[in-house]
Amino acid sequence: MIPHHHLGMTLIDDATVRSHDVRLRRLVFEMSGYHANELERLERWARDWSLPRADGFAGNVSDDSLARLSTLSGVAHDTWWLALMIEHHHGAVEMADAELGSGARGDVRKLASGVRTVQTAELAAMRALLD
């Protein structure tokens, strides 16, 4: 989940600077703190447990999609950003569900439960912005 969160923070950083809609800016601000704390915890566990870095992950977005995002502004940027982040969040929920279905560590399952709860709510908020 670490590379997944790094990508999420890249998207959050982009929207922090470039989002047009104030409602999106507010949501991005809320996302930023939560996701940064989660990433810090995941990186600490990876170091403590000597885990290898994952190559692929659910919710990845293509380099072409990120490149397209960098060319957009205004409503077009916000709409494309929301589409990418919705895809990205679906991947997080998918990984959280997998951990909840078969994970053995209570601390990791607790994090997965939080990911599922928070990112499901964020998905609803992002869909509402698209509407």
Side-chain angles (χ1 to χ4, degrees), residues 8-29:
M9 292 306 295
T10 297
L11 288 167
I12 287 169
D13 289 346
D14 173 87
T16 298
V17 175
R18 300 182 61 229
S19 62
H20 174 73
D21 189 295
V22 69
R23 296 166 301 168
L24 178 56
R25 285 182 183 265
R26 186 173 339 141
L27 178 60
V28 167
F29 177 77

Side-chain angles (χ1 to χ4, degrees), residues 12-123:
I12 287 169
D13 289 346
D14 173 87
T16 298
V17 175
R18 300 182 61 229
S19 62
H20 174 73
D21 189 295
V22 69
R23 296 166 301 168
L24 178 56
R25 285 182 183 265
R26 186 173 339 141
L27 178 60
V28 167
F29 177 77
E30 292 168 6
M31 286 178 167
S32 179
Y34 172 81
H35 292 278
N37 289 335
E38 211 170 70
L39 178 58
E40 183 180 312
R41 186 176 334 156
L42 290 166
E43 287 179 331
R44 186 178 63 248
W45 286 345
R47 279 189 311 273
D48 292 350
W49 301 336
S50 300
L51 299 175
R53 180 132 181 159
D55 290 329
F57 55 90
N60 197 3
V61 297
S62 71
D63 290 341
D64 289 344
S65 292
L66 290 173
R68 178 177 177 210
L69 181 65
S70 71
T71 68
L72 300 172
S73 62
V75 174
H77 169 272
D78 292 359
T79 302
W80 187 242
W81 187 91
L82 284 163
L84 294 179
M85 190 57 100
I86 287 170
E87 177 183 343
H88 184 70
H89 269 39
H90 278 294
V93 172
E94 180 182 320
M95 287 187 283
D97 286 344
E99 181 61 31
L100 290 169
S102 63
R105 292 191 59 106
D107 46 1
V108 179
R109 289 177 55 82
K110 183 177 179 181
L111 181 124
S113 179
V115 165
R116 184 167 213 319
T117 299
V118 169
Q119 295 207 16
T120 298
E122 289 173 352
L123 280 164

